[in-house]
Amino acid sequence: MKITRQLLFFSFVFLLFTCKEQKQEPLVINGKDKVYDTEIEDKVNQLLSRMTLEEKIGQMNQYNGFWDLTGPEPKAGAAAKKYEHLRKGYVGSMLNVRGVSEVRKVQKIAVEDSRLGIPLIIGFDVIHGYKTLSPIPLAESASWDLEAIKKSAQMAAEEASAAGINWTFAPMVDISRDARWGRVMEGAGEDTFLGSKIAEARVRGFQGDDLSQFNSIAACAKHLAAYGFAESGRDYNTADIGTSTLHNVVLPPFKAAKDAGVRTVMNSFNELNGIPATADEYLQRDILKGKWNFDGFIVSDWGSITEMIAHGYAKDGSHAAELAVKAGSDMDMESYLYVEELAQLVKEGKVKESLIDDSVRRILRVKYELGLFDDPYKYCNETREKEVIGSEKIHAASLDMAKKSIVLLKNEKNLLPLKKKGQKIALIGALASDKTSPLGSWRIAADDSTAVSVLEGLHQYEGNTITYAKGADVSIGKSQFATEVKINTDDKTGFNEAIQAAKSADVVVMVLGEHGFQSGEGRSRTELGLPGVQQELLEAIHKVNKNIVLVLNNGRPLTISWADENIPAIVEAWQLGTESGHAIAQVLYGDYNPSGKLPMTFPRNVGQVPLYYNYKSTGRPILPAPDVVFWSHYQDQVNSPLYPFGHGLSYTTFKYEDIAVQNNYNTTGKVEVTVTLTNTGKLKGKEVVQLYIRDLYASITRPVKELKGFELVELNPGESKNITFTLTKDELGFFNNQGEFLLEPGDFKIFIGGSSYTTLESEFKIEP
Ligand code: BGC
């Protein structure tokens, strides 16, 4: 039986090659930008013409792995059905099957046992690395270093592809302005311009220049759309945003990913303006596949098709499948509804077979592009797996990215960098010795306790003595992946030991914040302070020693107003991945001069959230007189954030001067803006020079500031550099409520500086 199928498969492959026509010129479809590879299109069409309806629907079906293929074949339950479906060719993709030997097993069934032998595409959440983790995406975004971010994605692809994986569910390109939402850790922060550039860098990193290379994998821009606008920051909650926000804030990073060639897109769990995104025809068919001409495929989010019943949108499973496929969702992740319902829907005439054909064509196209038909086992090389996973090269890249992701929030009296000799250092905090938390919550393939802790990192420097005291546990709550579960603790028994250590220390380094499992999917919070009794610990230590360096570990902005007022040095170190402790130690000791800038605003308290730098002015933005009540403000808190978007210090200092607009938009079609940056400190350092615009009046009101350019510049002490930014209609225009892009004449302000709070400004006009 097996032999006959194998023969069939090989004769099929032979047929494809012999039928291959001479390579033709690429075909331009619809006169738009997509150029198809006609050779692949021919193969896709030939294969499609040989498929039964059930086999076509099978390609649209994705199953989760996790069943024991090494043991006996499962005989009962859902796993048995999945196995049988795999053999029948009713599965197009699997996720969470990983490691060469496991991937080879499922691929072998699909390729050798099914009638047509169509290879599986193997998906996995390679969010910030596979087994060797780089910083969480929010942290990487703090580097504003697009080359480094691209390289990090490249390294992730290198490692994951060596483990048999050829498709990642990344990058998450959701913009979010709400630190309560746990998944802010997975994105690029609050800004659309920065988010779009990072989306592009990540897609290019994962996919490389040639998708058919053995070390590049297909990327997936997710979650279409507005998942990051979940009301009250509660994951999976309803999103209700206006068209201006949709087109100007939410969609551009998806467009940037599409333009960078992303091969897949994932829709989202949330409903948007009353329609679950999975069934949103406007987003998927009209915009993504229509206006943008996206020719890859859309995968649903996990069970999001069936969840439309709970949303109150679909009557039952059959209805949900019908709605999803009509709206353009090509692949069903773990709802089992396409495989169960679509054939019947086609037979009843409720779903046209041409819709199924379109989805299958898209899926097969990506499989051909990956080279899976040429060699379904191209990602299954045991020697490569051994050599690549955890290699020195990948660790070095992870360390490099980790250092670049650190943001120096505050550094009074140059408490940092630490002296390398003769110091007594008290190191305090459970997170300081934690080797799991720095891995974050998206670390399915990484083993517990594989990160370098801060304690280990500091021990690399032998000139000082270190006394470590935990002080208090960090509460991590329940976690799907954590092997160790600590529930909120008010245990202060460790305080005394920590206080004693601090009393006799020259400097206290406190590593406090959230455990890696406190942010991520399903991990929203209503309080954004230091969890558990860590705030009390900080205050208790401060009573006995004021020389504190606070190192924050967190997956989101935290409300740390007390620390900002009382602690002289604060370092934002997020969750930095496998090399975390080394990176933190090198920054604390000044072997690396930090240059990170916040990709999200830090609020003063939760009541200010959502708080973001590119807000709208309102009609009452400014306090008219000291005793006036009726203006846009709070009675109990100022409007400004604790740390603004774009903020971040260095061990050196920079001066900005001579901002000037060089030319006239009306005569040249662009605006060139220059500024001079000087390193006024004593150390070599890097600065992210940021350019913001304000369109003073427009047919759709524009934000008070919008990032429209940035450049990472490295300068020696005393060195100056002239920097030029070029603004074209792409940066100066905006979308109206119909989703049309406009550039309107009018008055603009330009701001350049080291954060969104810069006041160095100039102006220009676009004449009618
Ligand atoms: C998440 C996706 C993820 C998928 C597969 C879902 O719960 O929302 O982002 O890719 O699971 O693991």
Side-chain angles (χ1 to χ4, degrees), residues 689-709:
V689 180
Q690 302 158 44
L691 177 144
Y692 297 85
I693 65 164
R694 178 166 183 183
D695 184 348
L696 292 183
Y697 50 91
S699 57
I700 300 279
T701 58
R702 309 304 307 135
V704 294
K705 267 183 191 155
E706 286 180 276
L707 182 73
K708 290 296 175 181

Side-chain angles (χ1 to χ4, degrees), residues 169-398:
F169 305 123
M172 187 185 99
V173 303
D174 298 311
I175 298 299
S176 182
R177 299 161 162 181
D178 196 328
R180 292 170 297 182
W181 190 48
R183 288 192 91 164
V184 296
M185 55 73 60
E186 198 179 339
E190 74 189 33
D191 184 63
T192 299
F193 184 84
L194 179 63
S196 299
K197 297 283 178 206
I198 290 177
E200 179 188 342
R202 289 199 167 124
V203 169
R204 293 197 194 283
F206 287 128
Q207 297 193 163
D209 298 332
D210 176 0
L211 202 57
S212 72
Q213 287 296 309
F214 63 90
N215 58 356
S216 55
I217 61 180
C220 179
K222 67 188 189 185
H223 307 83
L224 190 74
Y227 182 42
F229 279 75
E231 278 179 0
S232 54
R234 179 157 51 79
D235 206 3
Y236 318 120
N237 204 5
T238 301
D240 202 322
I241 59 170
T243 43
S244 171
T245 302
L246 178 68
H247 292 293
N248 288 296
V249 180
V250 170
L251 291 180
F254 287 95
K255 177 68 162 53
K258 189 264 152 191
D259 289 345
V262 76
R263 300 314 290 132
T264 72
V265 169
M266 187 184 290
N267 55 38
S268 53
F269 290 125
N270 57 285
E271 67 160 78
L272 172 60
N273 305 336
I275 299 174
T278 308
D280 196 320
E281 198 171 331
Y282 176 63
L283 291 177
Q284 298 176 101
R285 285 212 186 278
D286 297 353
I287 296 187
L288 181 64
K289 292 179 176 177
K291 194 170 168 189
W292 297 352
N293 222 10
F294 170 70
D295 72 335
F297 69 88
I298 303 179
V299 62
S300 80
D301 205 345
W302 182 294
S304 70
I305 301 181
T306 201
E307 285 179 15
M308 292 199 290
I309 304 170
H311 272 290
Y313 194 70
K315 189 171 90 193
D316 52 24
S318 163
H319 190 208
E322 180 185 344
L323 290 165
V325 79
K326 281 185 172 163
S329 298
D330 301 305
M331 188 181 274
D332 169 3
M333 181 194 284
E334 279 287 298
S335 282
Y336 317 152
L337 287 176
Y338 281 3
V339 74
E340 280 166 9
E341 305 289 350
L342 277 188
Q344 186 58 26
L345 286 165
V346 173
K347 281 170 199 149
E348 285 169 11
K350 288 186 176 158
V351 170
K352 289 199 197 108
E353 192 163 346
S354 58
L355 282 191
I356 309 286
D357 286 351
D358 177 57
S359 292
V360 178
R361 230 179 235 118
R362 290 167 179 276
I363 294 162
L364 293 178
R365 183 179 295 139
V366 175
K367 290 186 177 183
Y368 273 109
E369 289 169 353
L370 280 164
L372 284 168
F373 282 93
D374 295 331
D375 178 4
Y377 303 110
K378 62 184 286 198
Y379 301 91
C380 296
N381 176 333
E382 281 82 1
T383 316
R384 195 174 158 245
E385 185 177 40
K386 275 200 203 94
E387 278 169 13
V388 170
I389 297 182
S391 68
E392 252 176 55
K393 176 173 135 188
I394 293 183
H395 274 266
S398 150

Side-chain angles (χ1 to χ4, degrees), residues 300-574:
S300 80
D301 205 345
W302 182 294
S304 70
I305 301 181
T306 201
E307 285 179 15
M308 292 199 290
I309 304 170
H311 272 290
Y313 194 70
K315 189 171 90 193
D316 52 24
S318 163
H319 190 208
E322 180 185 344
L323 290 165
V325 79
K326 281 185 172 163
S329 298
D330 301 305
M331 188 181 274
D332 169 3
M333 181 194 284
E334 279 287 298
S335 282
Y336 317 152
L337 287 176
Y338 281 3
V339 74
E340 280 166 9
E341 305 289 350
L342 277 188
Q344 186 58 26
L345 286 165
V346 173
K347 281 170 199 149
E348 285 169 11
K350 288 186 176 158
V351 170
K352 289 199 197 108
E353 192 163 346
S354 58
L355 282 191
I356 309 286
D357 286 351
D358 177 57
S359 292
V360 178
R361 230 179 235 118
R362 290 167 179 276
I363 294 162
L364 293 178
R365 183 179 295 139
V366 175
K367 290 186 177 183
Y368 273 109
E369 289 169 353
L370 280 164
L372 284 168
F373 282 93
D374 295 331
D375 178 4
Y377 303 110
K378 62 184 286 198
Y379 301 91
C380 296
N381 176 333
E382 281 82 1
T383 316
R384 195 174 158 245
E385 185 177 40
K386 275 200 203 94
E387 278 169 13
V388 170
I389 297 182
S391 68
E392 252 176 55
K393 176 173 135 188
I394 293 183
H395 274 266
S398 150
L399 174 58
D400 182 60
M401 190 71 247
K403 289 188 281 191
K404 289 174 171 159
S405 304
I406 292 173
V407 184
L408 182 61
L409 293 175
K410 187 178 173 196
N411 190 21
E412 264 173 21
K413 295 187 199 135
N414 294 334
L415 184 56
L416 287 173
L418 298 173
K419 295 191 186 78
K420 286 188 177 160
K421 272 195 203 133
Q423 297 278 294
K424 280 201 273 179
I425 296 179
L427 178 65
I428 295 171
L431 290 171
S433 62
D434 199 312
K435 292 171 63 58
T436 295
S437 172
L439 303 173
S441 61
W442 266 127
R443 28 78 36 129
I444 317 172
D447 300 320
D448 277 358
S449 297
T450 49
V452 178
S453 69
V454 178
L455 179 61
E456 289 168 329
L458 289 182
H459 272 311
Q460 305 272 307
Y461 291 80
E462 288 169 352
N464 292 332
T465 51
I466 296 172
T467 311
Y468 173 63
K470 179 170 82 169
D473 271 325
V474 188
S475 53
I476 63 173
K478 269 192 280 167
S479 165
Q480 194 182 343
F481 300 117
T483 48
E484 188 189 13
V485 176
K486 292 178 195 140
I487 307 297
N488 287 338
T489 168
D490 51 11
D491 181 4
K492 296 187 206 161
T493 50
F495 274 34
N496 194 34
E497 187 196 358
I499 291 168
Q500 294 316 317
K503 268 185 183 164
S504 55
D506 297 307
V507 186
V508 184
V509 176
M510 296 189 74
V511 185
L512 305 178
E514 297 179 312
H515 189 277
F517 284 115
Q518 276 180 299
S519 60
E521 186 176 347
R523 296 174 174 103
S524 298
R525 294 180 62 199
T526 61
E527 302 282 351
L528 295 175
L530 299 170
V533 290
Q534 293 180 96
Q535 179 64 34
E536 285 173 66
L537 177 65
L538 179 62
E539 292 180 26
I541 300 296
H542 183 256
K543 283 196 181 118
V544 299
N545 192 333
K546 308 268 181 275
N547 263 355
I548 299 176
V549 176
L550 171 61
V551 176
L552 289 174
N553 282 186
N554 43 318
R556 50 156 68 84
L558 296 178
T559 51
I560 49 158
S561 295
W562 187 90
D564 178 64
E565 270 166 38
N566 296 283
I567 304 298
I570 307 180
V571 175
E572 175 51 80
W574 317 102

Side-chain angles (χ1 to χ4, degrees), residues 89-106:
Y90 293 175
V91 185
S93 170
M94 296 206 63
L95 75 153
N96 290 332
V97 182
R98 61 174 195 268
V100 164
S101 94
E102 293 300 300
V103 171
R104 187 184 282 283
K105 276 178 211 154
V106 285

